């Protein structure tokens, strides 16, 4: 009962964003769901896997990024993934679980690998093998067991984590401008 009550109270309905735009009513309890959906799960296994992803990738990312940058990536990935998920027409299923912000950390980790490969003048495409493997596994499981549209939020979380890393990585925008000027 508690799990269902938490889902009703904290999960993100994709209709919520459209309703807020239509009515112009931006209530705090609705806006908070763009973050709180990542705190509720439907099973212990989902919680366990999300926790493992967050702890493992969070450790690797936090060794390179500052603590505030880690939080910006995690929270922003959750919010951006929720917004993108809500903007896709025809989706009815509520969004819940920590996988979209965990994929944001995968994006930040991919950025770290991408930057290191670039510094070694190696092929940067190798940095994307982790996300490619994870998306291939999701596709396989969707083909075998039926899929849900939550993969859209996962991809949005990854893209936001990777993109935000350009801004919050050590050196951030100044390093990016220096690279652009050298070219």
């Amino acid at each position: 009962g508690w799990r269902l009550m938490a889902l009703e109270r904290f999960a993100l309905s994709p209709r919520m964003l459209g309703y807020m735009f239509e009515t112009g009513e931006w209530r705090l309890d609705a806006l908070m769901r763009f973050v709180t959906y990542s705190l509720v799960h439907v099973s212990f296994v989902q919680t366990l896997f999300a926790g493992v992803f967050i702890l493992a990738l969070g450790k690797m990312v936090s060794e390179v990024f500052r603590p505030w940058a880690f939080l910006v990536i995690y929270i922003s990935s959750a919010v951006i993934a929720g917004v993108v998920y809500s903007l896709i027409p025809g989706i009815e299923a509520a969004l819940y679980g920590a996988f979209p912000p965990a994929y944001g950390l995968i994006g930040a980790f991919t950025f770290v690998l991408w930057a290191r490969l670039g510094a070694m003048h190696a092929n940067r495409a190798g940095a994307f093998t982790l996300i490619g493997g994870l998306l291939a596994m999701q596709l396989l499981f969707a083909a075998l067991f039926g899929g849900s549209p939550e993969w859209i939020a996962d991809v949005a979380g990854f893209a936001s984590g990777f993109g935000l890393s350009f801004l919050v990585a050590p050196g951030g925008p100044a390093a990016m401008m220096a690279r652009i000027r050298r070219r």
Side-chain angles (χ1 to χ4, degrees), residues 68-80:
W68 66 265
F70 170 83
L71 287 174
V72 165
I73 289 172
Y74 186 84
I75 294 170
S76 297
S77 294
V79 171
I80 293 168

Side-chain angles (χ1 to χ4, degrees), residues 31-62:
L31 290 171
M32 75 174 193
R33 288 178 183 238
F34 285 91
V35 175
T36 60
Y37 78 83
S38 67
L39 303 175
V40 291
H41 299 84
V42 293
S43 69
F44 177 74
V45 174
Q46 184 186 31
T47 306
L48 183 69
F49 276 107
V52 167
F53 268 109
I54 292 167
L55 289 173
L57 291 162
K59 180 190 180 307
M60 290 182 230
V61 170
S62 65

Side-chain angles (χ1 to χ4, degrees), residues 5 17 50 73 148:
M5 199 167 38
L17 185 63
I73 289 172
S148 69

